Amino acid sequence: MATNKSTLKRERQNQKRRIRNRMIKSRIHTTLKRVIAAINEKDREKVESLFRNYMSFVDKAVKVGVLHKNNAARKKSRLAIKIKKAFNEGKYA
């Protein structure tokens, strides 16, 4: 166990950040599961609204520093491709 004042503070900060990061990542995963479920149901309106929410959550995670911007771009791109395939439109249909 750390005994320095600075290391104790660093542990407190890390714990707060770990909890925050876990909450943000959990929200992203949950939203992704909802989007995929809506894709399987072929509910286009629901997919569009959930996809906007997903993109918003991912962008906020990048802003806070939970995800790297390239990681976020990859996640959004892959989900967009899945949506296009499901509704037979665009390049990846």
Side-chain angles (χ1 to χ4, degrees):
M1 184 69 192
T3 56
N4 282 355
K5 213 173 181 185
S6 61
T7 53
L8 290 172
K9 180 178 179 181
R10 179 61 65 190
E11 286 179 8
R12 288 194 308 270
Q13 290 174 330
N14 288 338
Q15 187 175 11
K16 282 183 185 178
R17 289 185 182 123
R18 189 168 36 253
I19 291 168
R20 183 200 64 203
N21 293 349
R22 195 179 305 158
M23 282 182 0
I24 292 171
K25 285 183 179 183
S26 174
R27 185 171 22 168
I28 289 171
H29 291 305
T30 303
T31 310
L32 176 62
K33 287 180 184 179
R34 288 181 182 158
V35 173
I36 292 173
I39 289 171
N40 292 335
E41 295 172 7
K42 301 288 186 187
D43 187 355
R44 188 181 192 93
E45 291 177 11
K46 192 174 179 183
V47 169
E48 288 176 0
S49 67
L50 288 171
F51 183 60
R52 277 195 297 273
N53 284 344
Y54 178 78
M55 291 194 15
S56 173
F57 291 150
V58 170
D59 289 337
K60 286 177 186 175
V62 170
K63 186 178 175 184
V64 175
V66 176
L67 294 178
H68 189 272
K69 64 179 184 174
N70 292 350
N71 186 328
R74 184 178 66 244
K75 287 178 184 294
K76 293 189 294 188
S77 173
R78 288 181 180 171
L79 185 57
I81 290 169
K82 279 185 184 179
I83 292 170
K84 285 184 178 187
K85 278 185 178 179
F87 294 104
N88 294 327
E89 59 188 38
K91 179 179 174 183
Y92 298 101

